[in-house]
Amino acid sequence: MDILLLDRLLLIGELFQRDMARAFDGTGLTTARVHLLWVLQHAGPSTQRDLARLCDVTPRNITGLVDGLEESGHVRRTPHPTDRRAVLVELTASATETMTRMQQEHTELNDMLLAAVAPSDRAALERGIAAIASHLETLVTEAASADAERAAS
């Protein structure tokens, strides 16, 4: 029996999850918390409403994530400069250092993984993965829209 591409992609996803769990063991960081830190690293200080949208979670979930990251010293809440009712969530200095280190490790892992592929195959691999990711995103979006339509009926 041939191994399907989907099976290999699922295995890759599982291996990344296991590696992340190992790397964050004992740190208080979870996949969801790290995702929020990545979003803050790239978006800069943001309101919780914006973070919920960027992370595709409910406002209630983002509050819990921010609370946990604030307790662990990764983020802080500060007054919004123009909206008295809002607060901004921003990375602390130590979290910025952590995220810089993670970005460096991310780049190193990317280079190691690409090194496993023949140089002449790398461009095709990257185009193929980009096409698969784009198509899967379209399929997931269409399925979610169909589910929402069925639920509304």
Side-chain angles (χ1 to χ4, degrees):
M1 181 170 142
D2 290 336
I3 297 175
L4 299 174
L5 173 64
L6 180 59
D7 294 328
R8 291 184 196 276
L9 292 172
L10 290 170
L11 174 61
I12 289 168
E14 167 142 355
L15 291 170
F16 277 127
Q17 288 294 328
R18 277 197 256 159
D19 190 51
M20 282 181 58
R22 178 204 51 78
F24 300 135
D25 189 35
T27 67
L29 293 175
T30 64
T31 303
R33 287 179 179 180
V34 170
H35 181 243
L36 177 53
L37 292 175
W38 277 113
V39 167
L40 280 169
Q41 174 82 357
H42 295 286
S46 303
T47 64
Q48 288 188 190
R49 176 181 290 171
D50 288 340
L51 291 173
R53 181 182 47 77
L54 291 167
C55 292
D56 197 26
V57 299
T58 65
R60 183 180 188 146
N61 285 343
I62 209 69
T63 297
L65 290 169
V66 171
D67 287 348
L69 287 169
E70 190 173 41
E71 282 179 30
S72 65
H74 290 93
V75 300
R76 70 177 149 264
R77 289 176 169 108
T78 60
H80 193 285
T82 59
D83 183 349
R84 290 189 334 229
R85 298 168 296 161
V87 297
L88 292 176
V89 179
E90 61 186 19
L91 296 175
T92 61
S94 64
T96 299
E97 289 175 20
T98 298
M99 297 312 297
T100 300
R101 189 174 60 252
M102 277 189 202
Q103 183 64 50
Q104 180 180 351
E105 291 169 357
H106 198 85
T107 300
E108 290 169 1
L109 179 57
N110 182 76
D111 293 345
M112 283 189 282
L113 292 174
L114 275 178
V117 177
S120 60
D121 294 337
R122 290 178 190 164
L125 172 69
E126 290 189 40
R127 283 191 311 272
I129 289 174
I132 289 169
S134 177
H135 190 63
L136 183 57
E137 184 175 26
T138 298
L139 293 173
V140 168
T141 301
E142 288 173 355
S145 292
D147 289 348
E149 286 179 23
R150 276 193 294 277
S153 314

